[in-house]
Amino acid sequence: MTENKKQIRVWCDGCYDMVHFGHANSLRQAKALGDYLIVGVHTDEEITKHKGPPVFTEEERYKMVRGIKWVDEVVEGAPYVTTLETLDKYNCDFCVHGDDITMTADGIDTYHLVKAAGRYKEVQRTQGVSTTDLVGRMLLLTRQHFQRGAQEYEVRRESSSSMGQDSAARSPWTGCSQFLPTTQKIINFSDGKSPKPGDKIVYVAGAFDLFHVGHLDFLEQARAEGDYLIVGLHTDPVVNQYRGSNYPIMNLHERVLSVLACKYVSEVVIGAPLPVTKELMDHFKVDIVCHGQTPVHPVEGVIDPYAEPKRLGKFKLLDSFNTMTTEKLVERIIVHRWEYEARNLKKEKKELAAYEAYTKAKGEEMM
Ligand code: CTP
Ligand code: C5P
């Protein structure tokens, strides 16, 4: 940047509960509107008051947002309604939010102040993923969600009615539940950088389903083992083979984007083989292969996926010092299922009422 060009500072805020690639994509777009991105994250108390209890604690949510590669700074405990004082305090030019509506418990637009002052910009919400949808998938306990096509659509329709939501009356902002992956999304999320000569290359592999703080802590440690971190993601059938039941909750495309958004990750292998082979290690010039403290589940024909790197003396066990797992996360949701179902229903009702009022006002304007 030249000296006389003023740095543009952008403000975003939100709950960032169960951070997913939809959140990451909004932060990516926000960062592209300026030079420096500050993200305000609400406390558990604020979220409980306005929306219902969050799945993750504020400490976990602060950490997850800090882990997203487009974020320069996190402000803990940001107010639910964005004020001009907040923007000024952090020297931000404007506030950015997705093109959905966020309301307080009393139904007030949380951005009305910044909108009135002309310090509000919108980015496109990522269709097909939301905390609400992910919670729905966990409650549904189906293994069908990663099978694309008509069958998936049917399952989702059934799920919305079984959750007490009328599928014909879903919020146009957050009620959508089908994410369509494109190469453009992957390009947008990827750094596109190859390793530099002499870089120490680290390889890790796994499911990385419902990307969580345990994964983040692990990847931070793995990245510290070298200069360039490659994450191999197992395919949906492989994950289902070793995890069983309804896993993975997120399909391979979704898991790719979640992992690519992490600031420690340099590259992702889309559908990595379960055994870490010599060919794979030679291909990517891998110096070291790492795994965390979680057990490795052998599947038919593969007793130890790390046999080869171990034989080559290129394997290291890491400790993330974090006990969160995908299964524990799902358990948290299941335990609180009625709270979440009530929360989701309330949120969609509020959004529908706001949408109806908005379209009515637009219609009157046109007359
Ligand atoms: N966001 C987005 N695309 C999504 C989900 C969220 O662009 N699929 C954006 C929102 O528009 C907002 C930011 O991420 O700018 C933070 O959203 P947050 O306050 O956490 O609420 P939501 O994620 O919208 O809530 P939910 O996922 O429960 O619908
Ligand atoms: O379970 P999953 O395949 O998603 O794990 C991916 C990697 O993250 C594994 O190496 C696992 O040991 C590690 N991990 C960790 N700490 C956690 C959760 C996962 O080190 N809390």
Side-chain angles (χ1 to χ4, degrees):
M1 201 184 354
T2 58
E3 269 189 17
N4 37 13
K5 186 179 174 275
K6 185 188 163 287
Q7 185 191 53
I8 296 175
R9 291 166 67 90
V10 182
W11 173 269
C12 283
D13 54 26
C15 308
Y16 301 98
D17 194 19
M18 291 183 54
V19 173
H20 50 66
F21 59 90
H23 294 122
N25 196 31
S26 77
L27 296 173
R28 180 190 66 79
Q29 296 174 77
K31 176 69 180 267
L33 294 173
D35 308 299
Y36 192 83
L37 175 63
I38 306 184
V39 184
V41 181
H42 312 312
T43 60
D44 295 344
E45 197 186 332
E46 279 275 276
I47 300 175
T48 305
K49 190 168 121 201
H50 293 286
K51 195 171 175 181
V55 179
F56 279 99
T57 67
E58 56 205 31
E59 290 308 326
E60 291 169 327
R61 293 182 291 104
Y62 300 152
K63 193 189 258 185
M64 286 298 282
V65 177
R66 279 198 183 95
I68 295 177
K69 63 184 177 192
W70 299 284
V71 177
D72 295 299
E73 197 178 320
V74 165
V75 170
E76 301 181 359
Y80 210 78
V81 172
T82 314
T83 63
L84 296 175
E85 289 73 31
T86 309
L87 293 193
D88 291 339
K89 183 173 171 192
Y90 295 97
N91 215 357
C92 288
D93 297 76
F94 50 85
C95 164
V96 173
H97 187 260
D99 52 359
D100 55 333
I101 192 158
T102 312
M103 283 170 288
T104 64
D106 313 319
I108 296 165
D109 179 352
T110 53
Y111 296 104
H112 71 281
L113 297 170
V114 287
K115 279 180 184 171
R119 289 171 73 180
Y120 175 82
K121 290 192 189 196
E122 243 167 34
V123 291
Q124 223 180 355
R125 191 178 158 91
T126 307
Q127 292 299 310
V129 62
S130 69
T131 311
T132 314
D133 175 52
L134 291 174
V135 170
R137 291 189 202 183
M138 290 179 233
L139 295 177
L140 181 61
L141 290 175
T142 173
R143 67 173 69 196
Q144 249 93 353
H145 61 263
F146 55 78
Q147 293 173 6
R148 310 217 68 81
Q151 200 181 357
E152 173 185 23
Y153 180 66
E154 281 311 313
V155 169
R156 282 167 186 267
R157 267 163 46 109
E158 279 166 27
S159 89
S160 39
S161 14
S162 73
M163 283 172 70
Q165 295 169 352
D166 177 3
S167 52
R170 303 207 57 189
S171 161
W173 290 295
T174 57
C176 169
S177 60
Q178 190 143 339
F179 171 67
L180 294 174
T182 59
T183 49
Q184 192 58 49
K185 278 253 155 45
I186 296 180
I187 292 168
N188 287 339
F189 271 56
S190 166
D191 286 341
K193 285 190 193 133
S194 306
K196 292 192 290 298
D199 271 359
K200 185 174 175 190
I201 299 175
V202 185
Y203 181 79
V204 300
F208 293 90
D209 191 15
L210 293 172
F211 194 80
H212 54 68
V213 276
H215 291 134
L216 184 63
D217 283 338
F218 168 71
L219 293 177
E220 182 178 11
Q221 300 244 359
R223 178 67 176 74
E225 291 294 321
D227 309 292
Y228 192 91
L229 175 61
I230 304 178
V231 180
L233 291 180
H234 300 143
T235 62
D236 298 332
V238 167
V239 176
N240 188 253
Q241 207 183 344
Y242 63 69
R243 207 147 275 174
S245 177
N246 58 317
Y247 293 104
I249 301 287
M250 280 185 144
N251 68 43
L252 178 62
H253 302 290
E254 296 173 312
R255 291 184 284 119
V256 166
L257 295 180
S258 304
V259 172
L260 270 180
C262 173
K263 67 178 176 188
Y264 305 116
V265 176
S266 316
E267 178 64 301
V268 167
V269 181
I270 308 170
L274 188 59
V276 181
T277 58
K278 176 139 191 336
E279 289 71 35
L280 181 138
M281 291 175 69
D282 288 346
H283 180 90
F284 291 110
K285 300 187 172 57
V286 175
D287 294 290
I288 183 126
V289 177
C290 301
H291 188 87
Q293 299 292 316
T294 59
V296 177
H297 301 285
V299 299
E300 217 186 308
V302 187
I303 295 165
D304 180 3
Y306 298 114
E308 192 57 23
K310 280 178 186 166
R311 195 184 63 79
L312 296 167
K314 290 185 173 183
F315 180 76
K316 189 168 176 182
L317 261 188
L318 301 178
D319 194 344
S320 64
F321 298 103
N322 192 319
T323 55
M324 175 60 76
T325 61
T326 303
E327 287 86 348
K328 278 191 192 166
L329 172 55
V330 173
E331 267 167 37
R332 269 199 209 181
I333 306 278
I334 303 289
V335 167
H336 294 103
R337 68 174 289 170
W338 300 118
E339 272 172 29
Y340 294 127
E341 283 186 8
R343 176 194 121 168
N344 295 351
L345 207 58
K346 201 168 98 191
K347 183 170 180 277
E348 281 217 44
K349 267 197 182 146
K350 227 162 53 165
E351 285 181 3
L352 263 176
Y355 188 73
E356 270 160 25
Y358 169 79
T359 40
K360 195 168 158 231
K362 272 260 172 241
E364 276 164 14
E365 244 173 53
M366 308 268 283
M367 294 216 291

